[in-house]
């Protein structure tokens, strides 16, 4: 039995609806999935319903953007109470910042003589939690670039001219926000920019787990983070970070987390709810 605990839908920057995502999970014979859209839990109810029908275990989650010592860190929250008032209030603020940032990125592109229309990006994103991938897709759609990669490489990556940094919360605040919503806090894809030096601080802030298995982690990198998990007594998670179709096929199911890790995650969440 396997799980994929890092998945996106069109409630953030994924392209699948929750139902389409669950259909893909069923095709891949996954026993459990978690939805971890950026700064939103809106897709969780529909994904939960679709999972129930497909007899797949569902975990409500979200991926929050935070920072630690000036480094951007993504924190995954699992087993979140999706009705938690404080969580909903705070993510509404993150969404407002994301929406403003779309305007700023388009203004920068316009100043670079790329006449992308903000309405086109907003219409394409069609969600409360828009991000750079939506700007990239709108650039491709309007013919200003040939591919998503080109959009990021020329304009949207850090240090490129249309990059606008996101106002970020500290990782401590992110972890506390997840905890007060009965969730378990996990550091996402630590191997993406190899920022191991922040891990002790995250552990001090109450981090519960670390995403050892991820699409962009090689076997050696996964093993490295398994050792770190062991050292700091952290839960082990993993997922594909599927955003929909990628080079002809979706990533969902390509990272297979053994179900025993889901059991441990569930135990930790149950402990948290008792507190
Ligand atoms: P944002 O949250 O708006 O800063 O956008 C970050 C998201 O953009 C990530 O979650 C990825 O889905 C996507 N992304 C980041 N870098 C790239 C890249 N070089 N090519 C394609 N997608 C990317
Ligand atoms: Fe994303
Ligand atoms: Fe991420
Ligand atoms: Zn993600």
């Amino acid at each position: 039995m396997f799980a994929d605990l890092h998945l996106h839908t069109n409630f953030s920057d994924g392209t699948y609806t929750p139902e389409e995502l669950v259909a893909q999970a069923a095709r891949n014979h996954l026993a459990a999935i978690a939805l971890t859209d950026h700064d939103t839990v809106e897709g969780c109810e529909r994904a939960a319903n679709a999972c129930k029908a497909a007899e797949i275990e569902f975990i409500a989650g979200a991926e929050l953007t935070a920072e630690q010592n000036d480094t951007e860190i993504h924190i995954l929250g699992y087993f979140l109470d999706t009705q938690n008032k404080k969580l909903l209030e705070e993510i509404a603020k993150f969404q407002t910042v994301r929406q403003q940032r779309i305007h700023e990125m388009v203004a920068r592109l316009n100043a670079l003589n790329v006449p992308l229309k903000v309405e086109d990006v907003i219409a394409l994103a069609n969600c409360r939690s828009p991000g750079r991938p939506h700007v990239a897709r709108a650039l491709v759609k309007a013919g200003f670039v040939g591919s998503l990669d080109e959009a990021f490489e020329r304009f949207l990556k850090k240090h490129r001219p249309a990059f606008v940094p996101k106002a970020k919360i500290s990782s401590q605040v992110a972890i506390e926000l997840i905890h007060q919503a009965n969730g378990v806090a996990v550091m996402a894809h630590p191997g993406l920019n190899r920022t191991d030096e922040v891990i002790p601080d995250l552990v001090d802030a109450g981090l519960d787990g670390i995403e050892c298995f991820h699409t962009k982690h090689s076997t050696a990198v996964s093993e490295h983070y398994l050792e770190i998990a062991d050292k700091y007594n952290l839960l082990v998670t993993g997922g594909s970070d599927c955003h929909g179709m990628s080079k002809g096929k979706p990533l969902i199911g390509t990272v297979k987390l053994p179900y025993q890790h889901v059991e441990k995650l569930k135990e930790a969440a149950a402990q948290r709810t008792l507190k």
Side-chain angles (χ1 to χ4, degrees):
M1 296 219 315
F2 294 102
D4 187 335
L5 302 185
H6 193 153
L7 299 164
H8 296 269
T9 67
N10 60 356
F11 280 94
S12 69
D13 58 2
T15 57
Y16 289 138
T17 62
E19 292 77 15
E20 286 165 350
L21 183 73
V22 173
Q24 291 290 339
R27 278 185 52 176
N28 284 281
H29 308 290
L30 292 170
I33 62 164
L35 179 57
T36 55
D37 271 321
H38 297 281
D39 296 335
T40 183
V41 291
E42 285 168 284
C44 288
E45 191 177 345
R46 278 171 54 186
N49 288 335
C51 275
K52 202 169 179 189
E55 295 182 16
I56 295 170
E57 191 173 338
F58 179 71
I59 299 168
E63 182 172 14
L64 305 182
T65 308
E67 70 183 340
Q68 183 72 39
N69 314 342
D70 291 327
T71 305
E72 181 169 318
I73 307 281
H74 292 181
I75 309 270
L76 298 159
Y78 290 116
F79 293 100
L80 293 170
D81 169 7
T82 59
Q83 306 294 318
N84 181 267
K85 194 161 165 281
K86 171 112 173 130
L87 177 70
L88 295 177
E89 279 170 10
E90 293 303 312
I91 58 184
K93 290 186 208 163
F94 305 155
Q95 291 165 8
T96 303
V97 170
R98 281 180 169 277
Q99 291 157 18
Q100 288 164 349
R101 182 168 167 253
I102 297 293
H103 287 264
E104 286 173 46
M105 287 191 279
V106 171
R108 284 187 183 230
L109 286 163
N110 293 166
L112 294 161
N113 290 321
V114 179
L116 185 71
K117 292 202 189 86
V118 77
E119 303 81 50
D120 290 350
V121 182
I122 289 166
L124 182 148
N126 191 28
C127 71
R128 292 198 177 99
S129 211
R132 283 181 289 160
H134 297 114
V135 178
R137 285 176 211 151
L139 282 168
V140 174
K141 197 173 170 197
F144 296 127
V145 294
S147 68
L148 297 174
D149 277 347
E150 188 189 336
F152 273 90
E153 287 304 319
R154 273 178 64 192
F155 299 117
L156 300 171
K157 259 172 61 164
K158 197 173 176 183
H159 307 303
R160 293 294 188 271
F163 173 77
V164 177
K166 235 181 321 185
K168 298 179 217 53
I169 51 173
S170 74
S171 44
Q172 187 171 354
V173 167
I175 291 168
E176 278 167 13
L177 186 59
I178 290 165
H179 282 168
Q180 67 80 42
N182 291 340
V184 174
V186 173
M187 183 187 190
H189 43 62
L192 237 59
N193 33 16
R194 290 307 287 262
T195 45
D196 290 11
E197 67 280 2
V198 303
I199 293 172
D201 292 340
L202 296 179
V203 171
D204 286 343
L207 189 75
D208 303 292
I210 188 161
E211 188 175 52
C212 295
F213 303 101
H214 183 271
T215 304
K216 294 199 171 150
H217 287 182
S218 64
T219 306
V221 167
S222 294
E223 275 165 11
H224 169 73
Y225 288 108
L226 285 168
E227 279 169 25
I228 291 203
D230 201 42
K231 177 172 171 191
Y232 292 103
N233 199 18
L234 294 168
L235 295 158
V236 170
T237 73
S240 64
D241 211 350
C242 176
H243 284 75
M245 277 295 197
S246 159
K247 304 199 167 79
K249 57 179 195 300
L251 288 171
I252 181 170
T254 56
V255 172
K256 287 183 152 61
L257 183 75
Y259 186 79
Q260 76 212 46
H261 295 296
V262 178
E263 290 282 7
K264 290 197 180 135
L265 201 62
K266 257 201 289 204
E267 282 164 23
Q271 290 288 327
R272 202 142 270 301
T273 314
L274 291 177
K275 272 182 200 163

